Amino acid sequence: MTLADTLLRRPSRPSRPRRGGTVRKRVTASEQFTGWAFVTPGVAIILLFGAVPIVWSAVMSFQRVNLLSPSTPYVGLKNYRELVHDPIVGQAVEHTLVYTALFVPGTMIVGLFLAVAMNRQIRFISVYRTAAYATMAISTISEAIVFIWLFDPSYGVVNYFLSLFGIPAQPWLNSPSQALYVIVIMTIWGWTGFAVVIYLAALQGVPSTLIEAAAIDGASAWRTFRRVTLPLLSPASLFLAVWLTINAMQLFDEVYLSTSGGPLNATTVLVYYLYEQAFQNFNFGYASAIAYFLFIVILVVTAIQFRIGRRFTYYRS
């Protein structure tokens, strides 16, 4: 190579990294990518076992489906029309509403009473609080077995104590007029621990200065609770009312384990009737229509609760 060739030779440029590779590295190193990488498995599970069944059941509510025959003809609104004229659906709606009307305020009142009693510094208070919440840790099967034993017509503890006062033994779960109320008592006992925790947390957030100011003004303990403490508990009360109502309208476990909808359909609620139609009669189209009817009812009731609760709920800034 001559000197002229060396001088005329153009210097080689340093190689530039590919733009695509740089962008890819920047994306994979970002916090958003890391977050989505952790969230994606959960999202996939929710879509697979949550969203897909919801959409599938919506489609089945307009079909005649029994999962035994490959034929799934569309029947339009026939399942919904049948639902309106089904007398057992009417009974199930009535039982669900009665249960909800008793269960929700009952749980809130008992939970508030226990939370107020435990919101003080006394000996073994941690033991009492743990015992109150223990009802949430007990399985529904254990709860049902205990209450079946307590309210047994022949050798139940409740009838034994009634006999001490000369009251005759009651049939309880075997009686069409009493079985639903036994289930109300059972579920109030089971959910009281949850209400106690919510109310206890709200009580500990009430400013002590307001309580002291009311005492200085000469307000009695009851008047202070009614005028100061109770309004400050209104957000917790609204949350409990909505949450417990949604759970009450989906009552199933206790009915299935204790009475199986009986006697004489006296404890048949909407979700249990849905279960019968789907998994005993294999009428999945009709069961899906019941499920969506219940969804609409829960949606409407929740919206009404939020609208009414907004007027009585006090949020501290």
Side-chain angles (χ1 to χ4, degrees), residues 171-188:
W172 300 121
L173 290 171
N174 295 334
S175 169
S177 61
Q178 297 176 353
L180 185 62
Y181 301 107
V182 174
I183 294 177
V184 171
I185 296 172
M186 182 193 310
T187 49
I188 287 177

Side-chain angles (χ1 to χ4, degrees), residues 141-215:
I141 296 176
S142 302
E143 175 186 333
I145 291 173
V146 169
F147 273 83
I148 289 173
W149 173 70
L150 289 174
F151 288 92
D152 187 270
S154 302
Y155 52 83
V157 176
V158 176
N159 276 341
Y160 169 75
F161 281 106
L162 290 179
S163 66
L164 299 179
F165 298 94
I167 302 175
Q170 302 297 317
W172 300 121
L173 290 171
N174 295 334
S175 169
S177 61
Q178 297 176 353
L180 185 62
Y181 301 107
V182 174
I183 294 177
V184 171
I185 296 172
M186 182 193 310
T187 49
I188 287 177
W189 181 85
W191 278 91
T192 294
F194 179 76
V196 167
V197 171
I198 299 299
Y199 272 131
L200 192 57
L203 284 168
Q204 293 179 353
V206 175
S208 58
T209 54
L210 297 179
I211 306 298
E212 294 170 358

